[in-house]
Structures are given as C-alpha cells and as structure tokens.
C-alpha cells in the first residue's frame, strides 16, 4: 500500500514524488518512458535555486533574447545580472526521475489504464511496459502528472477535457557554427503569422544542438510545414535533424485540480503553462511541489478538502503573472500588425527590465511608478495605433 501513486515522471511528477518521499511517505512513481516532450528547454535562475538544479544539467547559458517581428525587424534584449539556463528534456527528465528514485520512490514503467476502488481506496491499474500485462498499485491518493490531455484527469476530474490547448512541434537539429542569424547564447522568438498565426516560433540553443519549433491553437496549421519554413527563414534548413517531437500544451490553469476524494492533478495536467510565453518547466515543478504539499496535508489530516491546497498555493503566488501574460497574448497575438507593434514595444528599456526581472524571479516586480506609467501609456499607444509599428 502506497501513500501516493504519482502518474507521470516529467518535471512535475518527479518533483512531487521526490518531495513526498523526503517528507516520509511511501510513493510509487509511474512513467511510460520513451516520450520526450517538445520544449524549448529554458529554465530561470529561480528554478535552479528552488529545486537545487546545478549547472551540470545545463546544455547552454543564454544571455540575450531576440524578438523578431513579421517584417523581420528585431530587438535584442540583454539578460542583465544573470542568464537563462537551457536544458534538453531527453536528459533533464530522466535526471529528475533518478533523483526521486534515489530519494526513495518506487519506480514503475508502463501506461496508466484506470483507477479502481474495490474497497473504497484507489488502485492504479497500469500496463507494464515490459510484459504488457496489467498490474496494480494500491494507494491512498493519486497525483495525475501525465501531461496535457491527462488520462487521469479525463477519467477523474470534472472539466478536464475543456482546457484550451496549443499544439507545439519542434525539431532538434545539430547546431551550426555561430553566424549572423544563429548565436549559441541567444534565444530567438519569432512573432510572424506565416509561422504561427496565433502564437510564435522559436530557435533556442542547446549547446551542440538547437530546438527549432512553433505552436498554434489552430488545427488548420500544418506544424511541420511551418517549422520547415521557420528553419529556412533562420538559415537552418540544411542542418542535420536529430529528432522530431510534438504534443499539446495547455494555456489556462483548470478551475479545479482534484476530484474531491483521492485524485489531484499537477503540471500540464492541471493546465499550468504560462500564457503568451508558453513557459512550462518552472510552473510544472512548482505544481508538483504544491501537489506534494496538499497530499501530505491530506494524509495527515484525513480531510479530502486539503487537496484544494495545491491550487490555492499555486494561484496565490502566480495568478497575477498568468493574468497579465494572458492579457498580453490576447492583445498582441491577434494579427501581424499587433505582433509588429509588440516587437516595437519591446524596444523600451523599462519594458525589457521589468519583463526579465519578472521572468528571472517569477514575480511582478515593483519599479519606479513613472516607469510603470510610461509602459502603460506606450502600451496603449501601440494598441490603439497612435504610434507607428516601426517606431522605436
């Protein structure tokens, strides 16, 4: 009998499993292995501090972000007083799972099938990866950290099927030498309706390799063709392709993360990917941590209402950031004219400073009130067309 079975061994599930075993609980971590999520791989210093990630896990350190408009104009934003770490999910996720196992979690490989409750408490049924036979993991609580379109969520939590999704696709390529269009210490973010009519494309360095991809909520968009166009526009069409990956990414936290009795969702399964930026690793790991906290509280108190602590703790700290990012996406990702204006806005030094301080520290930082006023006025000027899109 396990205290908690964690379904899904990505950053969220591995973090939840490790936190729970370190707090003295008996935990099973179930992962199907072999799947690598399409991900730019950016992690902020805050993540490295909060979750004890050392430099050895990084494949690159980025010091500049380049925002590229539909007409090809760009603004380079320096990352002051730090860097953005880059990880490759094919290595990072196994590292996190291994750390959870070394802490004391029991590890199983296979596919989640269903949850049964023959005696009132949950039994997770999974199909063993090796034998293909169904096996049982009896427990007191279940954490579903099995990604967007979570099988645990769809089976157990109300409205889990109503989360809006962006479909992301990327290709990991062999990195070229540094050129005018590719820099191994710079992330490129491409706001161009020809690449993505409602999100963005990216070129993120991964040391010896690079992630080139895009996302869209529209099913009419051919993700592979769009990525091919992005590679050509970025001068990367002749680079060797190492692997290709695609998956849905949720862009809105669910209103409810638990089923009111014994199941709690975490990470992508709960919808905690940042709007506008699509950043997910940090929020997934925070989601795993608050899920572990809520489960530990529930096991200690016997009150199933304590499962709600996970969402309360997460939203208390991050709700405002998510709200601001969602507003920005709704305002600027509508069409190329708006995207052009967004890149123009990024020239503002105050915008740059506040944006990256918020990214690095995961908080909406306070600044000189005049700077906030200036940003607000310039934002309205761009949205209403009072200034030209190419105005700097």
């Amino acid at each position: 009998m396990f205290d908690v079975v964690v379904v899904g061994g990505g950053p969220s599930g591995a973090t939840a499993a490790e936190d729970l075993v370190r707090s003295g609980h008996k935990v099973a971590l179930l992962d199907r292995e072999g799947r690598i999520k399409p991900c730019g791989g950016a992690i902020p210093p805050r993540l490295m501090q909060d979750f004890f990630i050392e430099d050895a896990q990084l494949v690159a350190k980025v010091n500049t972000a380049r925002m590229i408009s539909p007409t090809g104009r760009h603004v380079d934003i320096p990352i002051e007083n730090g860097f953005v770490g880059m990880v490759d999910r094919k290595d990072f996720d196994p590292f996190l799972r291994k750390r959870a196992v070394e802490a004391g979690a029991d590890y199983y490989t296979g596919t989640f099938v269903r949850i049964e409750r023959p005696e009132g408490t949950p039994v997770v049924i999974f199909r063993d990866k090796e034998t293909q036979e169904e096996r049982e993991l009896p427990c007191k609580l279940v954490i579903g950290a099995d990604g967007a379109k979570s099988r645990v969520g769809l089976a157990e939590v109300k409205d889990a099927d109503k989360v809006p999704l962006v479909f992301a696709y990327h290709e990991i390529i062999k990195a070229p030498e540094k050129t005018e269009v590719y820099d191994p210490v710079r992330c490129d973010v491409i706001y161009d309706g020809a690449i993505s009519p409602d999100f963005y494309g990216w070129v993120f360095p991964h040391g010896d390799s690079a992630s080139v991809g895009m996302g869209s909520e529209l099913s009419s968009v051919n993700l592979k063709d769009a990525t091919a166009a992005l590679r050509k526009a970025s001068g990367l069409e002749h680079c060797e392709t190492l692997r290709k990956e695609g998956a849905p990414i949720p862009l809105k936290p669910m209103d409810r993360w638990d089923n009111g009795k014994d199941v709690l969702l975490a990470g992508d399964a709960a919808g905690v990917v940042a709007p506008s930026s699509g950043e997910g690793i940090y929020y997934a790991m925070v989601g795993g941590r608050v899920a572990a906290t809520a489960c530990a509280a529930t096991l200690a108190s016997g009150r199933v209402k304590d499962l709600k602590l996970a969402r309360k703790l997460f939203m208390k700290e991050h709700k405002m950031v998510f709200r601001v990012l969602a507003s920005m996406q709704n305002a600027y990702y509508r069409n190329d004219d708006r995207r052009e204006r967004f890149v123009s806005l990024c020239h503002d030094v105050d915008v740059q400073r506040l944006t990256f301080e918020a990214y690095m520290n995961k908080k909406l930082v306070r600044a000189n009130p005049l700077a906030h006023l200036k940003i607000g006025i310039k934002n309205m000027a761009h949205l209403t067309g009072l200034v030209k899109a190419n105005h700097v």
Side-chain angles (χ1 to χ4, degrees), residues 281-295:
I281 300 177
Y282 172 76
Y283 293 111
M285 294 179 76
V286 171
R289 176 150 290 173
V290 296
T293 300
C295 284

Side-chain angles (χ1 to χ4, degrees), residues 173-324:
I173 64 171
K174 187 173 181 179
E177 297 295 322
K178 180 179 177 179
T179 64
E180 289 186 6
V181 294
Y182 179 80
D183 191 326
V185 292
R186 187 188 71 217
C187 283
D188 292 357
V189 185
I190 300 92
Y191 299 99
D192 185 350
I195 302 299
S196 172
D198 59 336
F199 205 55
Y200 64 82
W202 68 82
V203 178
F204 285 178
H206 283 186
D208 293 336
S209 62
S211 165
V212 184
M214 50 76 65
S216 176
E217 199 172 336
L218 304 176
S219 59
S220 58
V221 175
N222 187 309
L223 306 184
K224 293 183 178 181
D225 287 350
T227 301
L230 173 57
R231 286 182 61 168
K232 185 175 182 179
S234 304
L236 302 171
E237 72 268 36
H238 300 303
C239 294
E240 180 185 352
T241 302
L242 303 178
R243 64 179 199 265
K244 304 176 181 181
E245 294 142 8
I249 298 174
L251 288 186
K252 183 181 179 182
M254 291 174 56
D255 293 332
R256 180 167 185 162
W257 296 6
D258 67 278
N259 69 348
K261 51 185 177 181
D262 51 24
V263 173
L264 176 63
L265 302 182
D268 280 16
V272 292
V273 175
S276 178
S277 69
E279 182 191 359
I281 300 177
Y282 172 76
Y283 293 111
M285 294 179 76
V286 171
R289 176 150 290 173
V290 296
T293 300
C295 284
T298 302
L299 291 167
S301 69
R303 298 189 302 260
V304 293
K305 68 178 184 179
D306 286 344
L307 290 175
K308 298 185 184 303
L309 278 173
R311 190 179 190 280
K312 288 180 181 177
L313 290 170
F314 185 94
M315 299 305 285
K316 181 179 180 180
E317 183 163 1
H318 301 292
K319 178 172 68 175
M320 188 55 67
V321 171
F322 272 56
R323 184 175 294 172
V324 169

Side-chain angles (χ1 to χ4, degrees), residues 51-120:
F51 298 98
F52 307 104
I53 303 300
E54 297 180 349
D55 281 9
Q57 295 305 317
L58 303 181
V59 292
K61 290 184 177 181
V62 167
N63 59 28
T64 306
R66 171 170 287 185
M67 307 298 184
I68 303 174
S69 80
T71 59
R73 291 185 311 109
H74 69 261
V75 53
D76 287 352
I77 304 176
I79 301 168
E80 299 177 354
N81 304 317
F83 60 88
V84 173
M86 305 301 295
V87 298
D88 192 320
R89 294 291 294 274
K90 77 174 176 60
D91 304 313
F92 188 61
D93 290 17
F95 160 76
L96 295 175
R97 289 194 289 270
K98 181 181 177 183
R99 197 164 69 170
V101 172
E102 289 175 347
D106 288 6
Y107 186 56
Y108 298 87
T109 56
T111 305
F112 170 83
V113 177
R114 62 187 179 277
I115 295 175
E116 296 180 351
R117 298 176 178 82
E119 297 179 9

